[in-house]
Amino acid sequence: MSDFTRRQLGGLLGGASALALLGAAPQAWGQAPVRAKDGVVVIGMPLEPPVLDPNLNAASAVREITYQNIYESLTRIDSKGAIIPGLAESWTVSEDGQQFVFKLRAGVKYHDGEPCTADDVKFSLDRLSAPDSTAPGKSLYATIKSVDVVDPTTVRVTLKGPDAFFLYNVGIGDAAIMGRKSAATNGTKPIGTGPFMFKERKEGDSVTLVKAPTYRDPGSIKLNTLIFKIIKDPAAQVNALKAGDVDTIAGFQSPEQVNQIKADGRFTVVIGSTEGETILATNNAKKPMSDLRVRQAIAHAINREDLIAGENGFALPIGSHFPPHHPAYVDLTKTYPFDIAKAKKLLAEAGYPNGFEASLKLPPVGYAQRSGEIIVSQLGKIGIKLTITQLQWPQWLQEVFKDFNYDFTIVAHTEANDLDRYRRDGYYWGYNSQAFKDNWAAVVKEVDPAKRTELLKKAQKIIADDAVNGFLFQLVRVGVWNKNLMGMWDNSPTPAIDMTAVYWKV
């Protein structure tokens, strides 16, 4: 974490350490809940996953439930964002950085009893990188040239060129290794190699996982049952937490309640970092947003202080699509400083002296709802009249993300290294910059960390100058859970509710 982020997060906590445990003096908890004795944890989920296969849908909720719990990948992203062994216990890299040989763990089985072998790795990576792949993360694996089975526990992956992010990309939820026999039905009946197996799903209510008897190291898993309880309303989430109906809430949605929760000795509250860049996503392919001057006007009209106040201070300002805790971060918040007069002048130059009308389609998450009202007010001051349309998550994914039927939306992009989205053709922002594409190609190929850092700084500046989106703030992670629940992640380096090291202190 950078010094900048430590200072910012420290400010959020009134000078306390950025990741310090918060709360009043411990109060008597009494007997641990009955479900603690049974090894059961109930996790409140603000969003329902459309499916349970990350190859079928981009929703972060899919990965939050399935990553490391149901599915595993070749490498693994730990709680600090480091790359560690996953299904591959080790690997070697050629001198030119274009060939990776992975040695798989022996004796790994899927939940249906089928062995997991190198053939499954080849199947999974081939499916991701195929020209006709429809996986949301397809472009992350476009550098794969071939995948060859050396023997049942050894796989050789050859790339088209060096890829600085390859080991990270094969460690995230998108790169889950799936069985050849079960992959086709993983959307509704997921089968993986992880420590928990799918039991049941109640549409609109919950997803239940149970400890998998097939897991290679059952003694390391201390929980027996995970219940992901869908609670969409932020107030209802807090009430469920206080009533003891849930033990933790994934992505705490009520920043205004944090101080009250901190004062309740039954809970642990931890403030950590996320990869969630929250943006006023803009349809660059649609008039009038296709005009740079219009986008610049919007950037000048955004007052981040008001937006962060709307999050009760639990956010960090950003001026580009990049997390402040990253070593390559550049503070570009002053690229287009808050200036109403300048914004109006740019709109007039673009041919819109009286502004224009546009839609703002919002997904059902707390930060988007809060920021939406503020953005409507802010852009209204320069004549841009926004009409809010409320969408459920499946509607948002279809209308905005897939069909590009929108003007503006507010959403947090929660995966690391996601600047690559700005070089994708046909992405929902409609942005097309050869300068960015060329720079990103250089980023991916650069193996020298210092040189790659400079290229990442340039990438941030290109999209900031182009005002591709309204860059609002970086979400911080407000972690809230029962104080007797141990092993929860402080930070959110990748979309995950990894319960593999969690246990009840009873």
Side-chain angles (χ1 to χ4, degrees):
M1 178 180 292
S2 69
D3 289 339
F4 170 85
T5 307
R6 289 186 187 279
R7 291 195 301 272
Q8 294 291 320
L9 286 175
L12 296 180
L13 306 184
S17 173
L19 298 180
L21 194 77
L22 303 177
Q27 300 174 14
W29 173 245
Q31 280 198 334
V34 173
R35 58 176 173 267
K37 297 178 181 178
D38 294 334
V40 178
V41 175
V42 180
I43 302 126
M45 292 286 292
L47 296 174
E48 182 173 13
V51 291
L52 293 171
D53 180 349
N55 283 304
L56 299 179
N57 196 281
S60 61
V62 180
R63 290 144 187 81
E64 287 174 337
I65 290 177
T66 64
Y67 182 69
Q68 294 306 327
N69 296 323
I70 296 177
Y71 305 119
E72 297 177 284
S73 305
L74 279 175
T75 61
R76 179 174 181 166
I77 311 304
D78 72 6
S79 63
K80 300 182 185 302
I83 302 168
I84 61 174
L87 282 177
E89 61 183 7
S90 63
W91 54 85
T92 57
V93 187
S94 62
E95 288 188 11
D96 64 3
Q98 294 183 221
Q99 194 170 91
F100 294 74
V101 177
F102 295 93
K103 187 65 178 178
L104 307 180
R105 299 182 189 276
V108 176
K109 292 184 178 181
Y110 290 99
H111 301 148
D112 59 2
E114 290 288 326
C116 176
T117 70
D119 287 315
D120 296 304
V121 174
K122 175 175 172 57
F123 163 78
S124 299
L125 295 184
D126 281 349
R127 189 169 69 147
L128 272 178
S129 60
D132 60 350
S133 170
T134 57
K138 171 185 175 179
S139 68
L140 299 177
Y141 310 96
T143 56
I144 294 177
K145 180 179 180 181
S146 64
V147 183
D148 299 300
V149 174
V150 178
D151 60 47
T153 59
T154 310
V155 179
R156 180 175 59 249
V157 181
T158 304
L159 306 182
K160 299 171 185 175
D163 183 348
F165 301 110
F166 181 70
L167 283 174
Y168 190 96
N169 290 340
V170 294
I172 62 176
D174 294 73
I177 302 304
M178 301 184 181
R180 289 160 288 161
K181 294 183 179 180
S182 54
T185 56
N186 275 344
T188 54
K189 297 179 180 179
I191 292 176
T193 59
F196 298 99
M197 59 189 292
F198 176 75
K199 179 182 179 181
E200 66 175 341
R201 174 174 186 166
K202 297 178 181 178
E203 293 286 343
D205 180 77
S206 61
V207 175
T208 301
L209 313 183
V210 295
K211 188 173 180 177
T214 52
Y215 189 59
R216 59 189 173 275
D217 186 13
S220 67
I221 306 303
K222 306 304 181 184
L223 299 176
N224 295 318
T225 305
L226 306 179
I227 301 172
F228 295 90
K229 182 71 174 175
I230 313 303
I231 310 175
K232 297 180 180 180
D233 179 67
Q237 294 167 16
V238 174
N239 290 337
L241 185 72
K242 291 178 178 178
D245 296 331
V246 301
D247 303 305
T248 183
I249 296 173
F252 193 71
Q253 297 284 307
S254 302
E256 73 282 356
Q257 295 273 358
V258 171
N259 288 335
Q260 187 180 93
I261 298 295
K262 282 163 52 180
D264 189 327
R266 297 176 298 167
F267 305 109
T268 293
V269 179
V270 175
I271 307 301
S273 63
T274 79
E275 296 295 327
E277 293 84 26
T278 303
I279 60 174
L280 176 65
T282 304
N283 193 338
N284 286 237
K286 189 176 181 181
K287 291 183 178 182
M289 290 76 70
S290 56
D291 191 315
L292 174 60
R293 294 167 297 183
V294 170
R295 301 196 305 274
Q296 290 172 326
I298 291 168
H300 278 300
I302 291 173
N303 185 339
R304 295 184 185 87
E305 289 185 4
D306 289 348
L307 291 161
I308 290 172
E311 295 303 300
N312 212 39
F314 290 97
L316 303 174
I318 56 173
S320 189
H321 196 118
F322 210 73
H325 59 262
H326 195 287
Y329 174 79
V330 181
D331 184 358
L332 295 169
T333 53
K334 300 302 183 185
T335 302
Y336 298 107
F338 178 58
D339 188 332
I340 293 295
K342 181 68 172 178
K344 288 181 176 180
K345 184 173 182 292
L346 283 164
L347 271 186
E349 290 175 0
Y352 300 93
N354 299 315
F356 58 88
E357 296 182 0
S359 68
L360 176 61
K361 295 188 174 182
L362 298 179
V365 286
Y367 66 83
Q369 299 295 314
R370 291 185 291 270
S371 295
E373 296 292 343
I374 296 170
I375 287 292
V376 167
S377 175
Q378 291 183 354
L379 297 196
K381 293 176 182 177
I382 62 170
I384 299 177
K385 305 171 188 65
L386 296 179
T387 300
I388 290 179
T389 300
Q390 303 287 357
L391 300 178
Q392 292 304 309
W393 197 242
Q395 291 176 292
W396 188 94
L397 288 167
Q398 186 64 49
E399 291 188 28
V400 177
F401 192 73
K402 291 183 178 180
D403 295 342
F404 317 145
N405 179 22
Y406 80 107
D407 297 322
F408 300 98
T409 187
I410 295 175
V411 69
H413 283 254
T414 57
E415 190 54 84
N417 306 319
D418 52 8
L419 268 178
D420 86 291
R421 273 64 167 173
Y422 289 83
R423 60 94 175 170
R424 295 185 185 181
D425 292 326
Y427 201 63
Y428 81 105
W429 303 321
Y431 176 62
N432 188 359
S433 166
Q434 193 58 49
F436 185 89
K437 289 179 180 178
D438 292 344
N439 185 75
W440 191 256
V443 168
V444 171
K445 293 177 183 177
E446 185 54 67
V447 294
D448 183 294
K451 292 180 180 178
R452 188 165 64 247
T453 290
E454 292 308 308
L455 290 166
L456 284 170
K457 291 179 177 179
K458 182 179 178 181
Q460 294 169 62
K461 191 170 189 314
I462 291 172
I463 61 171
D465 288 344
D466 285 347
V468 182
N469 294 306
F471 302 111
L472 308 181
F473 53 80
Q474 190 82 12
L475 292 175
V476 298
R477 183 177 191 270
V478 181
V480 179
W481 51 83
N482 183 301
K483 74 171 187 178
N484 292 320
L485 205 56
M486 304 289 124
M488 299 290 289
W489 281 17
D490 290 349
N491 304 316
S492 183
T494 188
I497 306 172
D498 185 342
M499 302 296 286
T500 57
V502 176
Y503 63 96
W504 282 104
K505 184 177 71 174
V506 294

